[in-house]
Amino acid sequence: MELIQETSDLSAYLGADDVVDHHHPRVRETAARLAKESEDSYAYARAAFEFVRDTIPHSSDSGDPRVTWRASDVLERRTGICHAKAHALAALLRAEDIPTAFCYQKFEVLHGLVAVRLGGAWHRQDPRGNKPGVNARFSLDGERLAFTPDPELGELDYPWLYAEPHPGVVGAMKAAPGCASLLRTLPLAL
């Protein structure tokens, strides 16, 4: 699948806002620690991906009812759904000047992931978190995502690379009093 940038301005994929708050001290501290242990941008991106995937449980898997949506809150509270984990990974990558886009897949609800720009190309990564039947891995050589859409079921990969998280997703996350209600109010499609 050919990935399509929402904007040709790569600096848009380095931006900070209320969701991707990569200037927040918690994000900066985490990024600095991961960067100290990494020899280059690839190693850092992989370390950041594995950190988010492996140390921040997916709220649905862990049964954590808290809703996090801001990257710094995801890192502090150590919980989040796929979208929240994508926000945290984007903030960590952007903190080290690695262009990062938001990507989506359509299943029963909208699934969130990111794409990183390394080696002159975009590569989608899914920090959702592994569990039985889900084995996402960091890769620049073919995608190793958590899920593969089945077009016969109406599932699909959206090809767009967004500089900011989808406003419908963020709105649902901000309004949800808990994870169970969030999963009922997330957008079903873009």
Side-chain angles (χ1 to χ4, degrees):
M1 173 179 72
E2 181 182 341
L3 299 174
I4 303 164
Q5 286 183 213
E6 173 188 34
T7 175
S8 60
D9 180 8
L10 269 183
S11 69
Y13 297 98
L14 293 169
D17 58 21
D18 284 346
V19 178
V20 184
D21 58 343
H22 65 75
H23 297 304
H24 188 280
R26 180 163 313 279
V27 177
R28 299 301 309 165
E29 290 165 12
T30 304
R33 184 174 41 78
L34 294 169
K36 186 177 181 181
E37 301 167 3
S38 303
E39 61 209 41
D40 57 23
S41 293
Y42 170 83
Y44 175 81
R46 182 178 178 169
F49 168 84
E50 290 174 352
F51 175 81
V52 172
R53 182 194 66 190
D54 298 342
T55 69
I56 301 170
H58 189 285
S59 301
S60 293
D61 295 347
S62 67
D64 193 323
R66 297 175 296 166
V67 175
T68 54
W69 55 269
R70 181 178 287 120
S72 58
D73 291 340
V74 175
L75 295 175
E76 179 181 343
R77 296 182 185 152
R78 300 274 194 211
T79 190
I81 64 166
C82 59
H83 300 285
K85 293 180 69 156
H87 301 165
L89 179 56
L92 289 171
L93 294 170
R94 290 179 179 189
E96 290 295 313
D97 294 322
I98 298 173
T100 307
F102 295 95
C103 307
Y104 299 93
Q105 295 176 309
K106 180 186 181 299
F107 297 102
E108 290 179 16
V109 295
L110 202 58
H111 176 61
L113 53 153
V114 301
V116 298
R117 186 159 179 90
L118 289 170
W122 289 101
H123 307 275
R124 292 191 311 165
Q125 311 295 329
D126 191 344
R128 182 223 177 272
N130 290 337
K131 63 180 187 174
V134 176
N135 186 22
R137 291 179 289 153
F138 186 84
S139 176
L140 302 185
D141 183 30
E143 294 185 333
R144 306 288 194 276
L145 305 178
F147 308 110
T148 303
D150 183 345
E152 291 184 15
L153 298 175
E155 300 172 349
L156 60 95
D157 280 310
Y158 290 105
W160 300 290
L161 301 168
Y162 295 97
E164 298 175 358
H166 187 277
V169 169
V170 174
M173 295 171 85
K174 287 181 176 182
C179 195
S181 65
L182 172 59
L183 297 176
R184 292 190 303 272
T185 60
L186 278 171
L188 302 178
L190 291 182

